């Protein structure tokens, strides 16, 4: 068999997508656009679960993280695999950047670098701080709390000064198990939605806007949210690209999630570098841009044939 140039990484649930299901069809479409773009450039491409024991990472030129969406549910196993595979093949994004991005305390580093973020308080595992303490100290009428290692709105709750007391037991249980973060609630999430700009090799390629279903604040489509095409303006692109440049290393791909408080006033929600949905179905040329960026980084080694 030819040596594999690129393994597109997914997880066990989606290793063989059920294309009759809308959600898995989206995954197949997104990964297929990237795979086709890479193959068009002469690369031998496979799509495998990160947990697949049959993959020989020593015989793989690189691994491209895409839909590894169970990493936070299997974090110990994922971390062991990550360290072993990173010693045997090249990761995109690079391993150090991905490790940095797994823990949402990276937002504090971006804030120190001058990126405007949603106001955030971190709570270490085992800390006795309460939600009431945080809301009072920060003067926030509403907040959202969630783990620092998480995704897909896992253990994510919205509270205000009248409901915080009812959530204290949940918050305490969470803090007993893992580090948490509490963020000021941004009303624009409900009124306008969340902007997501996709940045490939430092340049914005396209954008989408995610809105929550009525009565909810979670914008993910697997929680009933809706995705809309969005044409970013120059200020939005500048904000997203500056956030990406503030990373320790320039990532090959990034999704910059932020809210707009007003004209030119943005607050970063997340900088997704590990496994973001990149919405290539809204702009297929971005998959071509990603493939081109990977080819450049792999260098002049002859592709498999």
């Amino acid at each position: 068999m030819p040596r594999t140039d690129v393994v597109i990484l997914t997880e066990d649930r989606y290793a063989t997508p059920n294309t009759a299901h809308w959600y898995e069809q989206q995954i197949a479409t997104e990964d297929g656009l990237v795979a086709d773009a890479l193959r068009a450039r002469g690369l031998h491409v496979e799509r495998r679960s990160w947990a697949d024991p049959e993959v020989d990472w020593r015989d793989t030129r690189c691994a491209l993280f895409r839909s590894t969406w169970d990493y936070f549910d299997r974090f110990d196993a994922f971390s062991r695999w990550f360290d072993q595979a990173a010693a045997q093949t090249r990761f995109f994004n690079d391993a150090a950047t991905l490790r940095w991005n797994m823990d949402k305390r990276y937002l504090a580093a971006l804030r120190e670098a001058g990126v405007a973020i949603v106001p955030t308080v971190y709570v270490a595992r085992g800390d006795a701080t309460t939600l009431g303490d945080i809301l009072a100290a920060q003067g926030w009428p509403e907040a959202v709390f969630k783990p620092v290692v998480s995704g897909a709105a896992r253990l994510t709750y919205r509270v205000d000064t009248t409901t915080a007391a009812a959530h204290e037991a949940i918050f305490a249980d969470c803090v007993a198990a893992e580090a948490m973060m509490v963020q000021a609630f941004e009303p624009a999430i409900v009124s306008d939605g969340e902007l997501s700009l996709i940045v490939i090799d430092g340049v914005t390629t396209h954008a989408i806007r995610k809105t929550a279903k009525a009565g909810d604040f979670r914008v993910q489509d697997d929680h009933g949210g809706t995705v809309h095409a969005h044409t970013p303006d120059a200020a939005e692109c500048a904000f997203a690209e500056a956030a990406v440049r503030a990373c320790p290393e320039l990532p090959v791909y990034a999704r910059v999630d932020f809210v707009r408080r007003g004209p030119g006033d943005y607050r970063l929600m997340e900088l997704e570098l590990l496994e973001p949905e990149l919405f290539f179905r809204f702009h297929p040329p971005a998959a071509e841009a990603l493939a081109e960026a990977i080819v450049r980084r792999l260098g002049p080694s002859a592709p498999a044939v």
Side-chain angles (χ1 to χ4, degrees), residues 21-303:
H21 188 279
W22 69 270
Y23 189 73
E24 297 191 33
Q25 174 60 57
Q26 284 185 176
I27 296 170
T29 297
E30 295 285 322
D31 288 353
L33 286 167
V34 177
D36 288 347
L38 290 165
R39 290 181 180 124
R41 287 159 174 79
L43 301 183
H44 178 237
V45 181
E46 294 185 10
R47 183 177 178 276
R48 307 288 282 269
S49 170
W50 65 267
D52 187 337
E54 300 301 318
V55 178
D56 184 354
W57 296 107
R58 295 166 299 182
D59 200 36
T60 300
R61 289 181 69 193
C62 73
L64 174 63
F65 284 73
R66 294 308 314 121
S67 50
T68 55
W69 294 334
D70 62 345
Y71 82 93
F72 46 82
D73 292 321
R74 304 174 61 189
F75 194 66
D76 288 344
F78 180 82
S79 292
R80 289 192 297 272
W81 166 83
F82 186 98
D83 290 342
Q84 292 166 1
Q88 298 173 338
T89 193
R90 186 172 183 179
F91 283 172
F92 289 117
N93 287 306
D94 70 271
T97 297
L98 294 179
R99 268 293 185 196
W100 176 76
N101 191 240
M102 284 182 206
D103 188 311
K104 297 182 196 304
R105 282 172 283 202
Y106 72 81
L107 287 167
L110 292 178
R111 179 180 58 205
E112 289 298 314
V115 179
I117 71 168
V118 172
T120 303
V121 172
Y122 295 101
V123 182
R125 181 180 179 183
D127 196 304
T129 302
T130 68
L131 287 171
D133 292 338
I134 295 171
L135 291 176
Q138 301 299 320
W140 297 340
E142 288 188 89
V144 172
F145 68 87
K146 57 188 174 183
V148 299
V149 178
S150 189
R154 179 180 77 91
L155 295 177
T156 299
Y157 297 88
R158 177 182 174 185
V159 298
D160 60 31
T161 52
T162 64
T163 61
H167 287 80
E168 291 290 8
I170 296 172
F171 184 68
D173 287 344
C174 290
V175 173
E178 57 189 314
M180 300 290 290
M181 60 194 293
V182 185
Q183 293 185 303
F185 180 74
E186 295 286 341
I189 282 287
V190 174
S191 61
D192 299 323
E194 179 181 85
L195 294 178
S196 291
L197 270 62
I198 288 74
V199 179
I200 305 296
D201 222 10
V203 178
T204 302
T205 57
H206 63 294
I208 54 98
R209 183 171 63 91
K210 294 173 284 186
T211 57
K213 69 179 181 181
D216 206 335
F217 67 98
R218 298 170 298 179
V219 297
Q220 295 89 347
D221 55 8
D222 44 337
H223 290 291
T226 306
V227 180
H228 314 265
H230 175 76
T231 301
D233 62 27
E236 291 164 355
C237 292
F239 179 81
E241 291 166 14
V244 169
R245 288 195 303 270
C247 295
E249 297 288 339
L250 184 71
V252 179
Y253 64 85
R255 196 185 76 214
V256 187
D257 298 339
F258 60 97
V259 293
R260 180 174 49 205
R261 287 180 168 179
D265 185 4
Y266 311 114
R267 291 294 182 275
L268 183 70
M269 300 283 291
E270 301 264 7
L271 181 61
E272 297 279 6
L273 307 179
L274 176 59
E275 34 63 78
E277 186 174 3
L278 295 176
F279 299 98
F280 292 134
R281 63 189 182 275
F282 284 81
H283 187 68
E288 302 286 340
L290 178 58
E292 198 62 41
I294 289 171
V295 167
R296 285 197 300 271
R297 282 166 170 77
L298 284 178
S301 299

